[in-house]
Amino acid sequence: MADESSPELAVENVRTAMNPAGILWGRRAWELLSLVRARSPLVQCITNFVSMDLVANSLLAAGASPAMVHSVHEIDAFTPRCDAIYVNIGTLSESWLPSMRAAASAAVAASRPWILDPVAVSASDFRMDACLGLVALRPAVIRGNPSEILALSSACRFSDSKGVDSSHESTDAVEAAMSLARTSNAIVAVSGAIDYVTDGQRVVGAQNGVPMLQKITATGCAVTALIAAFVAVDPSNPFEATVCALSIFGLAGEMGMDFARGPASLRISLIDSLHGLDEQNVASRVIVSPMP
């Protein structure tokens, strides 16, 4: 077996990362990360209390500019100035829902992409109804765990819902993701051991990442925010931007594990690695494969 740093393995990884359309995903991921660092897109984040810190720091580490603006009274003045809007329903309340709806509507009116994270959509009728209403406002991307995507696609709650935790594998939700992508006209991403991304026709799997990321709260929220930053710099290609953002975040987790002793230290080294990613590592280590 070749050493991980060997030129032979680097070449093989690049080959593995090419899909039938001829995209070299490692190179494409580096291009988009470089654009984020150069342009520092302003991403409005209406996200849950648990995730705010990690979301903001992940965006900053990647080179974007986070703005935790959620008051409905600021939407008209602020949202159209943003490059992308990120809506996360993790700690949903009746007082925040009007802001989410208003921000989504303002984003569409201003031709800005907005991204939806339907956290624990199956936990209550209130969450399901809120998410279905938000999906109707045309998000560019929807990212969730397998159980969330399965529930949202069918507009049906699971009686055994575990809240924010998934009871399914990402492969279980691929067909549901494709259906949701077709009905919503959004790119849909399903996070898991392999992160699947679809536009309703194409499906690819982003394979970077480490299991311990699941032991850190809000990593899913953070990667959805990163998707928003990547879509912000290439809004005409949300499919590629979503795949690349997932790959970059997963790769940062892999590199962070080299210095981590557990979830707490991985959280710190994840942010450090996201900040320090270089062209060689991104181009050679990103792995994306078409769905068999």
Side-chain angles (χ1 to χ4, degrees), residues 89-92 118-132:
I89 68 159
T91 49
L92 185 64
V119 179
V121 62
S122 192
S124 67
D125 289 335
F126 176 52
R127 283 178 179 271
M128 179 62 74
D129 291 344
C131 278
L132 292 175

Side-chain angles (χ1 to χ4, degrees), residues 58-178:
S58 295
L59 285 173
L60 284 169
S65 178
M68 273 48 188
V69 176
H70 63 262
S71 171
V72 70
H73 301 294
E74 295 186 279
I75 299 299
D76 288 345
F78 188 79
T79 300
R81 295 160 44 197
C82 297
D83 297 297
I85 294 82
Y86 165 45
V87 175
N88 175 305
I89 68 159
T91 49
L92 185 64
S93 69
E94 289 184 351
S95 61
W96 277 40
L97 188 53
S99 297
M100 295 175 178
R101 291 170 175 160
S105 296
V108 172
S111 298
R112 299 290 191 270
W114 77 275
I115 317 302
L116 175 63
D117 194 328
V119 179
V121 62
S122 192
S124 67
D125 289 335
F126 176 52
R127 283 178 179 271
M128 179 62 74
D129 291 344
C131 278
L132 292 175
L134 288 167
V135 169
L137 296 175
R138 296 181 290 162
V141 181
I142 302 168
R143 189 222 61 92
N145 69 33
S147 292
E148 291 162 351
I149 297 303
L150 283 163
L152 188 58
S153 177
S154 63
C156 182
R157 293 172 52 215
F158 295 114
S159 59
D160 60 348
S161 169
K162 295 177 65 180
V164 300
D165 295 328
S166 181
S167 303
H168 303 84
E169 301 298 326
S170 56
T171 50
D172 300 333
V174 171
E175 290 297 327
M178 294 180 71

Side-chain angles (χ1 to χ4, degrees), residues 147-232:
S147 292
E148 291 162 351
I149 297 303
L150 283 163
L152 188 58
S153 177
S154 63
C156 182
R157 293 172 52 215
F158 295 114
S159 59
D160 60 348
S161 169
K162 295 177 65 180
V164 300
D165 295 328
S166 181
S167 303
H168 303 84
E169 301 298 326
S170 56
T171 50
D172 300 333
V174 171
E175 290 297 327
M178 294 180 71
S179 176
L180 180 58
R182 288 191 290 265
T183 58
S184 66
N185 200 33
I187 303 302
V188 177
V190 187
S191 291
I194 298 176
D195 300 324
Y196 290 105
V197 181
T198 181
D199 58 3
Q201 302 298 325
R202 299 172 291 174
V203 182
V204 299
Q207 299 186 40
N208 294 97
V210 292
M212 196 177 288
L213 286 172
Q214 298 176 22
K215 301 297 184 182
I216 306 171
T217 190
T219 51
C221 307
V223 76
T224 313
L226 189 64
I227 290 170
F230 273 54
V231 176

